[in-house]
Amino acid sequence: MEETKMRTVKFGESEIDVIDFEDVAAGERVIEFRYRGDPKKASFAAIVVPDGGSWSSALLSIDPQAGDVSAPLMADLMDVARSLIEAR
């Protein structure tokens, strides 16, 4: 069974949906980041943790079609992802 949790974080004028789920088919935990307000828009970045992994094994993937993502935004989102991963 797949467990999904979603929260919204505010960064400046932007609201970012943070979707945290277990991909049971691939055996990974995925935390996706998506700009709020456009349900059809794909995630612009994701943190992937292999099954049984921790923050030290997490990988960051950024969608090349998403364009530029500010470094301060990614730093804040990385902090959110790290706190979610380390909470388990």
Side-chain angles (χ1 to χ4, degrees):
M1 182 170 183
E2 189 171 295
E3 179 183 350
T4 302
K5 297 177 186 171
M6 189 170 98
R7 69 183 66 201
T8 301
V9 295
K10 189 155 177 72
F11 181 80
E13 296 297 313
S14 299
E15 289 187 331
I16 310 294
D17 287 334
V18 180
I19 302 103
D20 181 5
F21 65 95
E22 301 284 337
D23 184 342
V24 293
E28 300 171 325
R29 181 174 182 189
V30 180
I31 301 172
E32 292 185 352
F33 306 106
R34 162 181 324 170
Y35 290 107
R36 187 169 184 80
D38 186 355
K40 296 179 284 184
K41 190 167 186 167
S43 300
F44 64 87
I47 301 290
V48 179
V49 181
D51 189 29
S54 65
W55 178 249
S56 63
S57 59
L59 300 171
L60 170 64
S61 177
I62 297 178
D63 181 352
Q65 296 180 0
D68 294 334
V69 179
S70 77
L73 171 60
M74 283 312 305
D76 281 358
L77 294 176
M78 296 291 286
D79 287 342
V80 169
R82 184 175 190 161
S83 68
L84 291 172
I85 292 166
E86 290 180 343
R88 282 198 175 172

